[in-house]
Amino acid sequence: MKKSILFSIFLMSLFACSAQKHTEFLIADRENITSIYVDQEAEELVKWAVGDFLGDLEIISGRKIEIEFVKEYDAEKNGIYIGTASSSLNFSEHFANELDGKWENFIIEENQNSLIILGSDARGTVYGISELAERLGISPWKWWADVTVQPSDRIAINIPEGGIASGPSVQYRGIFLNDEDWGLQPWAAKTFEPEVGDIGPKTYEKIFQLLLRLKANTIWPAMHPSTKAFFSIPGNKEMAEKYQIFVGTSHAEPMLRNNVDEWDKEKYGEFNYFTNSDQVKAYWQERISETKETKGLITLGMRGIHDSGMEGNASTSERVELLEKIISDQREMLANTYQKPIEDIPQVFTLYKEVLDLYDEGMEVPEDVTLMWSDDNYGYIRRLSNAEEQKRKGGSGVYYHLSYWGRPHDYLWLATTQPGLIWYEMSRAYQNGAHKIWIANVGDIKPAEYTMELFLDMAWDINSVSESSIDKHLLTWSKREFGERNAEQISQIMQEYYRLAVLRKPEYMGWSQTEPTTKTQMGTFVADQNNDEVSRRIEYYNDLVRKVETIQKEIPEDRQDAFFQLVSYPVKGAALMNHKFLFAQQAFLSENQQEKERLTKLVEEAYQEINSLTEIYNQKVSNGKWNEMMAMNPRKLPVFDMPTFHLEEKEKTSIDRKDNLAKPIAIQAMDYIGSKSSGNYEWKRVEALGYSGQAVTLLPLDNFTFDKAEQPYLEYQFDVEKTGVYNIEVRLMPTHANAFDHKVTLEINGKNSKSFSTNTRGRSEEWKQNTLQNHAKVTYPVSIDASGKQVLRIYVNQTGIVLDQISVTSAGSPEYYEIER
């Protein structure tokens, strides 16, 4: 009964009557049950989706539901009719006109006491079925996170007047399986698909089903040395064809090849187009010849074997010239092999790392090729299409990281990219023309379930989330996964989990770097008697853990496994990683031996508890279903070990401890008292963005530079008790501009002003620090000659600049501190 009540409450909250008129369509109750009618000419993909949905309905209702394959609509037979617009199930010209010629669109509409689900094509129909399933409370994560389908005495859906009509904002939407060595690959090889011993068709089938439930259509397969190439494993290609998934490859894998696994140096020679182009072309030709019938999304260009620059000694201009020739050769091969106009073959050129530098040097890319921009690996997109590039026939897209292996530090363990950052960067990309393809690097999929879903929800419907409904999206997700009763608290816990990671991701708590790997150290949190950030951060996480443990008792038994995977493990894991290093820092600074020993014991307990939680994930959750999926120490980096700096007395002299310092004046950027907008651009708060959780920026998000006289500003007020020199520090999200020309101007009391550039280039030390602390900062020392109220104005020279927090400190205060909310 408890499960039925949970499910019914979810439905009532989701479909409560609003100003819009609705028609209720009853699917099943204790006395009635609908039938399902499917076009007998439906493609196999549609039949799979219908069967999957039917199984869920039977679990919910506890009753058998009839399915019948039919030639045409029969007004005498009421039920759910499912087909495509081109099928014999056309009901009127209305449906045909609504869907004709569209890509992956669907309609759900009540018609003469029947419910109609029609797609413009097979995937569109599948997405319509997925939409209905989700509106009935069925989670897309029912298999991948064990969010069980729950029984209910009554199943009904409210259809708004005019029905539900939807289609994708972005044409190709999907994920990149990457850095799979510590989760997805060992789990598939040892637990789920031992008969293959790798990520094979059985695993990919589950992944493709998940993508369709999330209205996605594209995969970049796993490609690390631990994994055999996608096309080399029998059944993988056929599984992609079965589920109509477009197969692409990453920025380093042109022409559907996996160089790491497939380039045989003894057979082919050097992977060098300057000296060995014939063999390289033959290698590419092999793959495209065998995949002519596969729905492919062809990556063009050439880099090194793996994630490295193109091989060969050459100047920049020579590399530009060669890359243009490579793309020309590749396109000729594709047109000849596919026997169709080159413009009809989807092609992508990914501007990642050094390739972007070559493009900016003047490299020309054919108009029909999609330019795929990338973030800086840490969630901040490096470049977007300018006005001219937005006119290109091939359009543009984005390759975006929710997980990363590399410098300055990996974040492969827990998924902590802030929802507001995903919204901001991807909305900004879309408004600057990135409508063609979105790919998220999701690592092992788990535990990036929520951030992956948010990314794909936006790719399907860019207007489904706004700057003021990001928290609502998380709340709706929490309701669907865990019911109305605890959803508010769960969403607040997760909001705080993401916010605390803005200041420092769990993987960065050792403040070490990788490639080359450095040892862990104190994480630059300052602890003094007036501003004990360490204790405050420990308590933040203690509070989250207490709330998780309280709510866990309220979760139905059959969703306990889901709660552990989606909430408990990531939140507790983040808390324990913070405790491990923060207790070590306190122990290091303590001059009381007994207290030092107590804190050292807490460090050890935190380390052991991470191990215990991970063991539960792998061996106990869902009866061992996920064994080998979760590693608590990807790449075995120092941050995952026990810290030792608190035991090494010799380092104590390196810490400059600040005592008796005045507390900073903390101002949240959202708390401005005045503002100036410019043209159509207005200052807006963005939920779940920044350490403040309400960072401020200009909307709309299209790239625009203001004339100096028209620069928008925000105005703030603060009081000082004494005259003297003060440091005004402004923290901004470390966003990028196309021309690296983001600037802010700080003005005090209408007279003293100074401009600052906020962008970082390449992989500089400043950029590394900014990514590790998730903010860029500018510091303005000013002499204040009168106590009392002071007025600060912050001007910006263009859109794309995000203000998060401001502090005012007397000269000589610590350089780093947490600004409280």
Side-chain angles (χ1 to χ4, degrees):
M1 184 65 182
K2 185 176 183 180
K3 290 183 285 188
S4 177
I5 292 173
L6 183 153
F7 185 82
S8 298
I9 290 174
F10 169 79
L11 288 180
M12 287 189 290
S13 67
L14 193 58
F15 304 113
C17 290
S18 65
Q20 187 178 22
K21 292 182 179 179
H22 291 76
T23 299
E24 183 185 74
F25 183 83
L26 178 67
I27 296 174
D29 61 15
R30 291 183 177 181
E31 298 177 356
N32 305 288
I33 195 158
T34 194
S35 294
I36 296 180
Y37 302 101
V38 181
D39 174 24
Q40 67 178 16
E41 299 176 358
E43 295 182 36
E44 290 302 313
L45 181 65
V46 173
K47 292 178 181 178
W48 162 78
V50 172
D52 184 61
F53 178 58
L54 184 66
D56 292 336
L57 287 183
E58 291 183 345
I59 293 173
I60 298 170
S61 66
R63 301 172 66 184
K64 183 71 175 174
I65 298 178
E66 294 298 323
I67 183 171
E68 183 178 344
F69 291 94
V70 297
K71 289 184 177 181
E72 58 187 4
Y73 169 64
D74 186 347
E76 299 299 318
K77 291 183 176 180
N78 296 331
I80 301 175
Y81 283 82
I82 300 173
T84 56
S86 61
S87 73
S88 58
L89 291 182
N90 281 333
F91 302 93
S92 68
E93 289 186 8
H94 158 71
F95 291 107
N97 293 339
E98 190 71 21
L99 296 171
D100 184 46
K102 293 186 177 178
W103 172 274
E104 299 180 341
N105 276 236
F106 67 80
I107 289 174
I108 302 175
E109 194 164 310
E110 195 274 338
N111 185 72
Q112 298 178 337
N113 297 319
S114 287
L115 189 66
I116 314 303
I117 303 176
L118 281 181
S120 60
D121 48 33
R123 283 190 306 276
T125 304
V126 171
Y127 298 146
I129 295 169
S130 297
E131 177 77 15
L132 178 59
E134 192 171 347
R135 286 176 179 249
L136 292 176
I138 300 168
S139 173
W141 300 97
K142 62 182 183 180
W143 193 89
W144 274 97
D146 302 300
V147 186
T148 55
V149 179
Q150 300 197 334
S152 178
D153 293 333
R154 191 173 192 276
I155 311 171
I157 182 171
N158 285 328
I159 304 297
E161 187 176 26
I164 301 166
S166 189
S169 296
V170 178
Q171 185 174 6
Y172 298 103
R173 313 164 304 282
I175 61 172
F176 179 24
L177 305 172
N178 196 217
D179 310 322
E180 68 276 8
D181 315 46
W182 298 275
L184 187 63
Q185 199 281 336
W187 169 78
K190 299 175 184 178
T191 303
F192 189 64
E193 204 167 1
E195 65 276 14
V196 173
D198 211 326
I199 306 175
K202 184 179 174 183
T203 303
Y204 274 111
E205 179 168 39
K206 291 297 185 184
I207 293 170
F208 297 157
Q209 290 173 352
L210 173 65
L211 291 178
L212 291 173
R213 291 182 185 118
L214 292 169
K215 301 190 183 74
N217 62 10
T218 304
I219 189 77
W220 284 3
M223 45 71 74
H224 262 223
S226 63
T227 310
K228 290 198 174 298
F230 177 84
F231 288 105
S232 72
I233 297 179
N236 280 358
K237 177 169 70 75
E238 291 75 14
M239 198 59 72
E241 292 167 358
K242 175 182 176 181
Y243 288 97
Q244 297 193 18
I245 297 295
F246 291 88
V247 180
T249 45
S250 74
H251 50 85
E253 303 173 281
M255 306 293 271
L256 297 178
R257 276 294 197 175
N258 177 337
N259 301 324
V260 173
D261 185 51
E262 296 184 306
W263 181 263
D264 185 338
K265 188 174 181 180
E266 291 187 6
K267 177 180 178 181
Y268 298 114
E270 297 293 332
F271 193 63
N272 187 324
Y273 212 80
F274 286 102
T275 61
N276 195 23
S277 61
D278 287 344
Q279 288 287 8
V280 173
K281 285 194 288 188
Y283 166 74
W284 288 338
Q285 185 66 57
E286 288 176 11
R287 177 52 39 77
I288 64 169
S289 293
E290 69 185 28
T291 57
K292 287 189 292 185
E293 304 305 316
T294 301
K295 293 183 185 301
L297 199 62
I298 310 299
T299 293
L300 299 181
M302 187 176 184
R303 299 187 69 217
I305 291 288
H306 195 185
D307 190 0
S308 60
M310 186 167 55
E311 294 181 12
N313 294 321
S315 65
T316 297
S317 61
E318 289 171 332
R319 288 178 181 274
V320 168
E321 184 179 348
L322 181 65
L323 203 47
E324 290 176 346
K325 175 173 172 48
I326 288 171
I327 290 177
S328 176
D329 291 349
Q330 290 170 333
R331 283 162 62 82
E332 182 179 358
M333 293 167 64
L334 288 168
N336 292 338
T337 304
Y338 283 39
Q339 293 294 298
K340 62 172 67 174
I342 191 63
E343 301 84 14
D344 296 341
I345 303 171
Q347 303 154 74
V348 171
F349 182 59
T350 306
L351 297 134
Y352 185 67
K353 292 187 176 177
E354 81 289 340
V355 179
L356 176 59
D357 298 331
L358 295 178
Y359 177 80
D360 285 339
E361 286 295 323
M363 178 188 171
E364 294 186 4
V365 180
E367 280 288 306
D368 59 284
V369 175
T370 301
L371 297 177
M372 194 168 191
W373 309 110
S374 174
D375 66 338
D376 61 0
N377 305 315
Y378 294 85
Y380 302 95
I381 298 174
R382 294 177 67 193
R383 170 90 148 74
L384 292 169
S385 296
N386 59 33
E388 284 303 308
E389 289 161 340
Q390 290 180 36
K391 299 174 184 176
R392 293 172 52 87
K393 180 181 177 181
S396 68
V398 175
Y399 166 45
Y400 192 80
H401 288 77
L402 299 174
S403 173
Y404 182 63
W405 164 342
R407 295 169 289 175
H409 203 285
D410 307 359
Y411 56 104
L412 300 174
W413 178 40
L414 300 180
T416 52
T417 303
Q418 199 175 26
L421 180 60
I422 297 170
W423 178 88
Y424 178 79
E425 290 292 325
M426 298 315 299
S427 294
R428 187 175 167 216
Y430 190 85
Q431 288 190 26
N432 285 280
H435 304 166
K436 194 70 173 181
I437 177 171
W438 287 13
I439 297 290
N441 184 327
V442 298
D444 294 310
I445 296 178
K446 303 174 71 63
E449 294 96 338
Y450 175 71
T451 52
M452 173 177 160
E453 182 170 348
L454 172 60
F455 179 92
L456 292 175
D457 280 353
M458 292 181 63
W460 176 261
D461 181 2
I462 193 65
N463 297 316
S464 63
V465 187
S466 71
E467 79 280 357
S468 59
S469 67
I470 302 167
D471 291 342
K472 182 181 177 182
H473 185 276
L474 181 54
L475 175 61
T476 301
W477 176 85
S478 300
K479 288 178 181 178
R480 187 193 67 203
E481 308 306 80
F482 303 111
E484 179 84 20
R485 181 172 180 178
N486 297 301
E488 186 73 42
Q489 282 187 291
I490 291 171
S491 64
Q492 289 174 359
I493 287 169
M494 297 309 293
Q495 287 170 27
E496 184 69 351
Y497 161 79
Y498 291 118
R499 188 189 75 85
L500 290 172
V502 173
L503 185 64
R504 190 84 80 254
K505 285 181 178 289
E507 294 90 344
Y508 303 167
M509 287 304 297
W511 206 241
S512 53
Q513 295 192 24
T514 59
E515 301 174 7
T517 299
T518 62
K519 65 184 296 184
T520 59
Q521 56 185 300
M522 285 176 56
T524 69
F525 286 92
V526 176
D528 64 73
Q529 63 183 21
N530 294 321
N531 186 28
D532 193 352
E533 301 170 34
V534 174
S535 294
R536 193 163 59 244
R537 190 166 172 90
I538 289 170
E539 186 50 38
Y540 287 159
Y541 276 109
N542 282 339
D543 185 53
L544 288 186
V545 171
R546 284 192 293 266
K547 288 176 179 176
V548 166
E549 292 179 343
T550 299
I551 292 170
Q552 187 170 348
K553 298 172 185 176
E554 301 292 325
I555 301 297
E557 183 61 32
D558 68 348
R559 290 216 177 168
Q560 285 287 332
D561 290 332
F563 186 79
F564 183 88
Q565 294 168 66
L566 298 174
V567 179
S568 185
Y569 183 85
V571 171
K572 287 185 175 181
L576 290 164
M577 183 66 85
N578 275 265
H579 288 167
K580 187 175 75 172
F581 281 98
L582 296 178
F583 285 137
Q585 181 165 328
Q586 289 183 328
F588 184 88
L589 295 174
S590 177
E591 298 175 359
N592 181 301
Q593 187 60 32
Q594 186 174 358
E595 178 67 1
K596 191 181 188 76
E597 291 174 0
R598 183 187 74 83
L599 291 166
T600 297
K601 185 178 180 182
L602 291 176
V603 174
E604 295 169 353
E605 289 175 354
Y607 173 79
Q608 293 300 333
E609 185 60 22
I610 294 173
N611 277 284
S612 298
L613 276 174
T614 306
E615 184 177 336
I616 291 171
Y617 200 121
N618 287 321
Q619 298 182 18
K620 296 182 179 180
V621 165
S622 303
N623 298 316
K625 174 181 176 180
W626 300 112
N627 192 28
E628 301 285 348
M629 177 60 84
M630 185 55 63
M632 57 140 289
N633 57 350
R635 286 224 285 166
K636 295 181 170 55
L637 296 178
V639 69
F640 299 113
D641 297 333
M642 281 279 293
T644 59
F645 58 80
H646 60 299
L647 305 176
E648 299 172 3
E649 291 293 329
K650 61 181 181 180
E651 292 190 11
K652 196 159 188 175
T653 56
S654 66
I655 300 298
D656 181 16
R657 192 172 176 192
K658 306 285 186 179
D659 292 318
N660 301 314
L661 294 172
K663 189 178 178 71
I665 298 170
I667 306 170
Q668 306 306 324
M670 61 183 170
D671 293 331
Y672 54 89
I673 62 167
S675 66
K676 173 189 172 184
S677 299
S678 182
N680 296 325
Y681 300 92
E682 295 184 36
W683 291 103
K684 296 284 187 178
R685 301 177 183 181
V686 180
E687 291 179 349
L689 180 61
Y691 194 63
S692 65
Q694 290 274 348
V696 183
T697 194
L698 288 163
L699 297 184
L701 293 166
D702 57 303
N703 289 338
F704 186 84
T705 299
F706 302 100
D707 293 336
K708 188 168 184 180
E710 298 298 321
Q711 287 187 0
Y713 65 76
L714 293 174
E715 187 171 282
Y716 301 89
Q717 198 173 79
F718 61 92
D719 290 318
V720 297
E721 295 181 357
K722 300 177 180 178
T723 60
V725 177
Y726 287 82
N727 290 326
I728 298 174
E729 180 180 297
V730 178
R731 293 185 183 176
L732 310 99
M733 305 302 290
T735 55
H736 301 290
N738 280 8
F740 297 96
D741 56 352
H742 278 164
K743 288 186 178 180
V744 296
T745 300
L746 275 57
E747 178 187 272
I748 294 293
N749 298 323
K751 49 185 180 180
N752 298 321
S753 67
K754 185 175 181 179
S755 296
F756 299 84
S757 175
T758 68
N759 286 151
T760 54
R761 286 181 178 268
R763 304 174 72 80
S764 65
E765 286 304 312
E766 183 184 3
W767 170 80
K768 291 177 182 178
Q769 294 298 308
N770 289 353
T771 58
L772 290 173
Q773 64 195 17
N774 260 319
H775 69 251
K777 66 179 181 180
V778 298
T779 303
Y780 184 22
V782 295
S783 179
I784 295 179
D785 53 14
S787 61
K789 292 190 182 302
Q790 316 294 320
V791 176
L792 167 68
R793 280 186 180 176
I794 304 176
Y795 295 82
V796 298
N797 73 328
Q798 58 187 284
T799 58
I801 297 172
V802 185
L803 304 177
D804 190 16
Q805 297 183 308
I806 304 154
S807 73
V808 182
T809 56
S810 57
S813 291
E815 190 172 300
Y816 189 91
Y817 45 84
E818 173 190 343
I819 300 176
E820 291 186 81
R821 284 203 300 175

